[in-house]
Amino acid sequence: MNQTATLPARPAAPLRQSAWWLGLLLTGTLAAASLLLAKLEPVQQLGISALTLAIVLGIVAGNTFFPSIAGHTAAGVDFSKNKLLRAGIILYGFRITFQQIGDIGWAGVLIAALMVGLTFTLAVQLGTRLFKLDKQTSMLIGAGSAICGAAAVMAAEPVVRGQAHKVSIAVATVVVFGTLSMFLYPLLYSLLPLSEHAYGVFAGSTIHEVAQVVAAGKAVSDAAAGTAVIEKMLRVMMLAPFLLILSGVVLRRQPGDGAEASKKAPIVIPWFAVFFIAVSGINSLHLLPADLVQVIVDIDTALLAMAMAALGLRTHAGAIRQAGFKPLMLAATLFAFLIVGGYGINLAVMQWLG
């Protein structure tokens, strides 16, 4: 009787397999659309990356037709949101090399480290205490502002274990204030006593997304853009150690009752962060042809775009509306700190080590 009762469960496997492929097809289609849109000149002028477009398309689809097909695509969508995300973060290491540290100097390294640590700490403290946000949302917004925008938010998500709508909120703040920075920073260059090199370090150490850094740098000069991108890559290189430290802090204690509450939880190492460092090291050795590295970078962008699309599909507009203006207020405060505090830190470090 027991064997007979279990027989009807067997047809579920082909259904799950179909949902996996159809889900990948859905996220892949949205990612392809975002990659094509990102190549349009008006979009490039605005500095909007394919990752940002992917999550926007995903949110639109997730709040229109996706609920009616979710049962037939869920497996592939969740695979994109989890597994492809980690693969994308690992391959992100092919975008940077350790030699970039020498190009910018120890002053640039210290500035990047200070901006990452102070911005994230400020985000958590202000988010939870002043704006009364939950710690997950505060951490995700802090990661996006402190390191490399949407990519950092997505990388922090498996460690923080934030819900889809919280990740989308954090990404939205990156889009809003990162876009604003592209227009504001060139104006600041005309007002502040900065050389092109100093402006590049300032922009690279304080602007959210890589694409936004490029746009803000090129608005001044190619030399400023080159310095800005190198400084930005230093912040990106700090993503892996940041995730390792964050993992130890977040998972130090697990909720429990009585004696269990006082026990320390084992630290879960985000291995994709370790592999990210390893890939960066391999890329630093220049073992692979430049054309092959570019192909890998293009594949990586596609994987991250699929992950962002999947995240958007799992984001409900009602959850974002429920969050209110507090996340935006936190991001605005961090944006002000990045400009004012970042400028002060840049000046102080440059005078000390520059």
Side-chain angles (χ1 to χ4, degrees):
M1 294 296 293
N2 291 337
Q3 293 179 345
T4 304
T6 59
L7 289 177
R10 291 182 179 177
L15 292 178
R16 287 196 298 270
Q17 186 176 15
S18 174
W20 189 80
W21 283 109
L22 290 175
L24 283 183
L25 178 62
L26 176 59
T27 58
T29 301
L30 293 174
S34 70
L35 291 169
L36 291 174
L37 289 173
K39 293 181 179 179
L40 298 177
E41 186 174 348
V43 177
Q44 291 181 342
Q45 291 177 347
L46 291 174
I48 300 176
S49 68
L51 302 188
T52 299
L53 292 170
I55 194 171
V56 171
L57 293 179
I59 290 175
V60 171
N63 289 275
T64 52
F65 66 86
F66 177 67
S68 63
I69 62 172
H72 302 285
T73 58
V77 169
D78 291 337
F79 179 84
S80 298
K81 186 167 69 75
N82 298 314
K83 302 298 184 181
L84 292 188
L85 168 63
R86 288 165 172 79
I89 296 300
I90 292 171
L91 294 180
Y92 203 84
F94 278 104
R95 300 170 190 262
I96 59 179
T97 65
F98 294 158
Q99 286 88 344
Q100 290 167 333
I101 296 177
D103 293 337
I104 204 67
W106 287 111
V109 176
L110 180 57
I111 289 171
L114 287 173
M115 292 310 302
V116 169
L118 292 175
T119 303
F120 183 77
T121 301
L122 188 64
V124 175
Q125 295 301 314
L126 290 180
T128 56
R129 297 187 181 186
L130 179 61
F131 297 111
K132 306 302 180 182
L133 291 168
D134 62 273
K135 187 169 288 187
Q136 288 178 329
T137 301
S138 301
M139 286 182 170
L140 290 170
I141 293 175
S145 299
I147 307 177
C148 53
V153 174
M154 295 292 287
E157 183 270 335
V159 178
V160 175
R161 298 178 183 177
Q163 296 170 304
H165 73 276
K166 295 179 181 178
V167 180
S168 296
I169 289 169
V171 172
T173 64
V174 169
V175 174
V176 171
F177 293 102
T179 302
L180 181 60
S181 68
M182 293 187 301
F183 301 99
L184 178 60
Y185 273 62
L187 294 176
L188 291 176
Y189 174 72
S190 63
L191 298 174
L192 299 174
L194 291 171
S195 65
E196 290 185 359
H197 175 82
Y199 170 79
V201 175
F202 173 51
S205 64
T206 55
I207 295 178
H208 300 68
E209 290 265 12
V210 176
Q212 296 159 355
V213 168
V214 173
K218 282 187 174 294
V220 172
S221 70
D222 288 340
T227 301
V229 170
I230 293 173
E231 177 67 20
K232 181 63 180 179
M233 288 299 101
L234 290 180
R235 286 168 69 194
V236 175
M237 291 181 71
M238 293 177 183
L239 178 61
F242 167 81
L243 293 175
L244 292 172
I245 295 172
L246 182 62
S247 176
V249 173
V250 171
L251 303 176
R252 183 164 300 185
R253 292 180 180 275
Q254 288 181 334
D257 297 324
E260 291 295 324
S262 62
K263 290 183 178 180
K264 288 186 177 181
I267 294 177
V268 178
I269 298 175
W271 287 107
F272 65 93
V274 178
F275 292 138
F276 168 83
I277 296 177
V279 168
S280 301
I282 293 173
N283 193 43
S284 301
L285 298 174
H286 301 291
L287 299 176
L288 301 179
D291 291 343
L292 178 57
V293 172
Q294 184 57 52
V295 170
I296 295 174
V297 169
D298 292 339
I299 293 173
D300 176 54
T301 300
L303 293 178
L304 289 175
M306 290 177 69
M308 294 291 271
L311 174 67
L313 289 170
R314 288 300 192 184
T315 300
H316 300 288
I320 296 178
R321 287 195 299 268
Q322 188 177 0
F325 288 101
K326 290 182 178 180
L328 201 62
M329 293 169 64
L330 172 60
T333 305
L334 295 177
F335 182 56
F337 169 74
L338 286 168
I339 295 175
V340 180
Y343 179 66
I345 290 172
N346 270 259
L347 285 182
V349 174
M350 285 296 186
Q351 289 179 359
W352 181 36
L353 295 177

